[in-house]
Amino acid sequence: MRLSNRLRMVAGMVPCCNAVADVGCDHAYLSVWLLREGTARYAYACDVRKGPLAKAAETIRFFHMQERAETVLCDGLAGLRPGDAQVIVMAGMGGELTTRILTDGEEVATAADTLILQPQSDWELVRKRMYAMGYAIADEQCVYEDGKYYLCLRAERKGTKEPAYSGAEFSYGRILPDRGDMTYLAWLTEECDKKTAMLLRLAEADTPAAAERAESAAEELRELVGVIRRFGV
């Protein structure tokens, strides 16, 4: 069984546990991988769609994992009880959806020891939600695959909150800039180029609406440049 670099990154951040919940499991490749590697003793493969969940069941049967995994048809965490899973994984969905699932299923989410989240967008929303729920971000990783950058966060329940995040840290994180991760720097640089190009287009538009948007976009760019400078470039 082979995982994409993105899913291998996610799998590598999952700590050993009795049970893992793979929310938005699709084909359940990640669930089965974690079981075969001995990372988890049991897996809940959850999805809101019947089609992917049927394929997940096929994967579980193919690898003879029926006694160690079950499929759960549910929206987000609605099909789980608090304490069912010590680790909750949500990979490959948008940041707004990830945040909504955490909010709607907060009772289940906060009963878990660890959250492994790989949102495709809106990382600021996800970080803010985890922080509000009392989680501390313990690790972040970034990979590049098939023309896209993917970021994964691991958050853990702790007795006290970690030091408050700044606005820029909610947007771009604290760990990867401190680590000097070069893959993440490449993504930040790409984002900087996009924001610079957008500012030029807004300047050419020369309208009141464009001028208002340009003001906020310029602040976003200054914030991003400040993060990039932490890499010493």
Side-chain angles (χ1 to χ4, degrees):
M1 185 181 200
R2 296 183 64 182
L3 293 181
S4 65
N5 290 339
R6 176 182 72 88
L7 283 182
R8 189 178 288 271
M9 170 183 66
V10 174
M13 296 183 75
V14 177
C16 290
C17 59
N18 287 324
V20 61
D22 181 9
V23 180
C25 65
D26 199 33
H27 290 64
Y29 294 146
L30 179 63
S31 296
V32 170
W33 176 276
L34 294 172
L35 293 174
R36 296 183 75 198
E37 291 294 304
T39 304
R41 293 190 178 94
Y42 197 83
Y44 297 94
C46 309
D47 208 290
V48 71
R49 300 166 297 170
K50 292 182 179 180
L53 207 61
K55 293 179 180 178
E58 290 178 7
T59 302
I60 291 169
R61 285 194 299 270
F62 181 83
F63 288 98
H64 309 291
M65 292 291 178
Q66 298 95 316
E67 294 185 0
R68 298 180 59 196
E70 65 180 274
T71 58
V72 183
L73 180 65
C74 64
D75 182 5
L77 299 170
L80 300 174
R81 298 165 302 178
D84 277 347
Q86 294 75 52
V87 179
I88 295 173
V89 179
M90 284 185 268
M93 60 185 71
E96 286 190 6
L97 177 56
T98 301
T99 302
R100 194 268 292 171
I101 290 174
L102 289 174
T103 302
D104 291 350
E106 183 168 356
E107 186 177 4
V108 174
T110 53
D113 298 321
T114 306
L115 302 178
I116 308 294
L117 308 177
Q118 191 265 297
Q120 303 284 60
S121 59
D122 298 309
W123 298 277
E124 177 184 5
L125 294 178
V126 175
R127 289 191 184 95
K128 285 182 175 180
R129 187 61 204 153
M130 289 193 295
Y131 187 83
M133 291 168 62
Y135 281 89
I137 299 174
D139 194 16
E140 298 191 359
Q141 293 187 22
C142 182
V143 299
Y144 180 77
E145 183 175 44
D146 297 332
K148 294 182 180 180
Y149 292 93
Y150 297 97
L151 175 68
C152 190
L153 320 173
R154 186 180 83 239
E156 299 174 352
R157 292 283 294 175
K158 294 189 176 179
T160 57
K161 287 185 178 180
E162 60 187 320
Y165 270 50
S166 67
E169 287 175 330
F170 275 124
S171 297
Y172 301 107
R174 175 182 290 164
I175 294 173
L176 291 176
D178 285 349
R179 190 182 294 158
D181 187 282
M182 299 310 292
T183 302
Y184 196 55
L185 175 60
W187 176 74
L188 292 173
T189 303
E190 184 177 286
E191 290 297 299
C192 187
D193 292 342
K194 290 179 181 177
K195 290 183 183 297
T196 300
M198 181 178 67
L199 271 175
L200 292 174
R201 290 194 299 270
L202 290 170
E204 292 172 355
D206 194 25
T207 65
E212 184 178 350
R213 177 67 186 99
E215 185 176 347
S216 61
E219 178 57 34
E220 292 169 9
L221 182 59
R222 284 192 291 269
E223 185 178 77
L224 177 53
V225 169
V227 176
I228 291 174
R229 284 175 177 163
R230 291 172 61 181
F231 286 81
V233 296

